[in-house]
């Protein structure tokens, strides 16, 4: 994993300065499967505006990654019919408005990946399973 962390860091260090911005560090952590909240990121960054590789590796070790059951439970919270499905439009709205929100491009990618049925319903258990298989 250390090689993947360094590779990811290097991809964001476009100027080869040995540092990346705090915003890039957050994106890089998410790229590596971590899901730090804005508050957790503030704590991990400790006020720094740039991060070197050693600090980034420490941040990676400290940042929490979501687990399958927690993500499944989060989706189930929005399953008002309690049938294992969420309408794609509601899912898109949630992903855009909750927390830090997803970009339009990320939402379009999610819509493709979650494979809604002909009624535009998403089986969120299958979607979560697919997400964790790809990590």
């Amino acid at each position: 994993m250390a090689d993947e962390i360094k590779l990811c860091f290097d991809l964001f260090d476009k100027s080869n300065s040995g540092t990346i911005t705090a915003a890039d560090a957050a994106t890089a952590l998410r790229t590596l499967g971590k899901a730090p909240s804005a508050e957790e990121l503030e704590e991990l960054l400790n006020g720094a505006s740039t991060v070197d590789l050693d600090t980034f590796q420490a941040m990676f070790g400290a940042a929490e990654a979501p687990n399958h059951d927690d993500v499944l439970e989060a989706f189930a919270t929005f399953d008002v019919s309690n049938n294992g499905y969420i309408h794609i439009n509601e899912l898109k709205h949630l992903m855009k408005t909750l927390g830090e929100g997803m970009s339009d491009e990320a939402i379009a990618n999610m819509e493709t990946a979650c494979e809604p049925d002909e009624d535009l319903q998403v089986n969120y258990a299958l979607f979560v399973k697919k997400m964790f298989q790809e990590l």
Side-chain angles (χ1 to χ4, degrees), residues 24 32 41 46 87 101 103 106 124:
D24 282 346
L32 291 167
L41 280 170
N46 198 24
H87 194 278
S103 69
Y124 59 84

XYZ file of all heavy atoms in Angstrom, residues 24 32 41 46 87 101 103 106 124:
69
model
N -5.783 19.088 -2.363
C -5.344 17.910 -3.109
C -5.134 16.716 -2.189
O -5.405 15.570 -2.558
C -4.062 18.204 -3.892
C -4.317 19.001 -5.158
O -5.487 19.111 -5.583
O -3.336 19.522 -5.731
N -7.802 7.117 -2.504
C -7.246 5.895 -1.914
C -8.252 5.146 -1.041
O -7.897 4.192 -0.364
C -5.998 6.238 -1.098
C -4.798 6.697 -1.928
C -3.730 7.324 -1.032
C -4.218 5.533 -2.720
N -10.607 16.260 8.338
C -9.523 16.811 7.528
C -8.846 17.985 8.231
O -7.623 18.078 8.238
C -10.039 17.259 6.163
C -10.217 16.155 5.142
C -10.960 16.679 3.927
C -8.885 15.562 4.741
N -4.126 20.039 10.688
C -3.596 20.858 11.780
C -3.189 22.257 11.295
O -2.128 22.765 11.648
C -2.432 20.145 12.452
C -2.127 20.697 13.832
O -2.995 21.272 14.469
N -0.896 20.540 14.267
N -35.060 5.736 -5.243
C -35.218 6.287 -6.593
C -33.952 7.057 -6.959
O -33.378 7.764 -6.131
C -36.449 7.194 -6.661
C -36.858 7.520 -8.053
N -36.263 8.522 -8.788
C -37.794 6.951 -8.866
C -36.816 8.571 -9.980
N -37.750 7.632 -10.062
N -21.185 17.293 -0.566
C -21.794 17.259 -1.888
C -20.848 16.743 -2.955
O -19.645 16.902 -2.867
N -19.770 16.478 -7.101
C -19.822 17.269 -8.335
C -20.812 16.632 -9.309
O -21.179 15.461 -9.175
C -18.439 17.324 -8.984
O -18.082 16.033 -9.479
N -19.241 13.584 -10.845
C -19.242 12.425 -9.949
C -20.634 11.817 -9.847
O -20.788 10.596 -9.805
C -18.715 12.826 -8.570
N -29.844 -0.455 -3.490
C -28.656 0.116 -2.858
C -27.744 -0.940 -2.224
O -26.544 -0.720 -2.128
C -29.014 1.232 -1.870
C -29.918 0.837 -0.737
C -29.417 0.255 0.419
C -31.287 1.076 -0.814
C -30.258 -0.081 1.456
C -32.121 0.743 0.226
C -31.599 0.163 1.367
O -32.432 -0.171 2.392
